[in-house]
Amino acid sequence: MILINLLPHREAARKRRRETFQIIMGASALAGLAIAAAIYWWFQMMITDQQGKNNLLRGEIQVLEQQIKEIATIEEEITALQARQKAVEDLQSDRNLPVHLLNELVQQLPDGVYVTSLKQTDQVVTMQGMAQSNERVSEMLRNLTNNTPWFSKPELVEIVASQVALTPKDQRRVASFNLRFRLVRSSEAHKAMDPASEAAAGK
């Protein structure tokens, strides 16, 4: 006996394959969504963790900036205190400058030169006087330049020939001069004298 299947078996098989495909596609879509959600969650966790680290770093940076400001303030105070200390030390050491000024002038002025006026403004000394000749003035300038650490930058402002009456009948021709120089602070003068002392001791 011959059995003939008159049912549309091809349509049924096609339908089963379509349903299986749809199920697989749905499952794949769900799996893809689950994977995407897991990746998104992982990235969110990473971002949150990094933001926490960034916030911690910002807090530490603010603390360090505050400490840097405090250090800068302390350094400014130290600099100001050092400047005050140096000013006090300079004032204490400069108390003897008039003594050094007069002592050095006595030693450096050559014979035939005498001073008529002496004025000090800050560290600049202006001196006026008389000399027997221009050569005496030149010798005095050389002495002030080379022979003492207490004076620096001597400058002849003016020299004029004039007459001085020793007696009503005795008139002498002299050179009237006006010069200025800088009076060196004690600390600077001692620094200049130390190498000279060492060189003299080495000889």
Side-chain angles (χ1 to χ4, degrees), residues 93-199:
S93 62
D94 290 349
R95 288 183 302 178
N96 297 326
L97 279 182
V99 177
H100 292 298
L101 170 63
L102 296 177
N103 184 52
E104 290 296 319
L105 282 179
V106 170
Q107 295 182 23
Q108 304 306 327
L109 291 182
D111 294 336
V113 176
Y114 65 94
V115 178
T116 59
S117 172
L118 195 65
K119 180 181 178 182
Q120 179 181 351
T121 304
D122 293 331
Q123 298 301 114
V124 178
V125 177
T126 303
M127 185 170 68
Q128 295 177 348
M130 301 286 183
Q132 291 179 349
S133 63
N134 292 343
E135 288 75 16
R136 299 287 187 182
V137 177
S138 300
E139 182 182 355
M140 177 183 60
L141 285 173
R142 285 194 299 271
N143 291 345
L144 295 179
T145 302
N146 302 322
N147 295 345
T148 173
W150 293 98
F151 304 151
S152 69
K153 300 179 181 178
E155 178 185 0
L156 183 63
V157 178
E158 182 183 32
I159 184 167
V160 179
S162 60
Q163 298 286 336
V164 173
L166 300 179
T167 65
K169 294 182 179 180
D170 188 5
Q171 300 284 331
R172 296 289 179 90
R173 183 179 179 84
V174 296
S176 176
F177 64 86
N178 180 3
L179 62 84
R180 60 172 171 257
F181 56 86
R182 179 178 174 270
L183 185 58
V184 177
R185 289 189 179 276
S186 298
S187 58
E188 299 175 6
H190 288 303
K191 287 180 182 177
M193 285 189 289
D194 288 341
S197 301
E198 292 177 1

Side-chain angles (χ1 to χ4, degrees), residues 25-37:
M25 290 298 294
S28 299
L30 291 175
L33 288 174
I35 293 171

Side-chain angles (χ1 to χ4, degrees), residues 27-74:
S28 299
L30 291 175
L33 288 174
I35 293 171
I39 293 173
Y40 176 79
W41 174 82
W42 183 74
F43 276 116
Q44 286 298 115
M45 290 293 294
M46 295 289 291
I47 291 171
T48 303
D49 182 60
Q50 188 61 45
Q51 287 176 345
K53 292 179 180 178
N54 292 344
N55 292 332
L56 178 63
L57 288 174
R58 289 192 190 98
E60 294 295 329
I61 289 171
Q62 290 178 353
V63 172
L64 289 175
E65 287 177 348
Q66 185 64 31
Q67 292 176 350
I68 289 171
K69 289 180 182 177
E70 294 175 357
I71 291 171
T73 303
I74 292 172

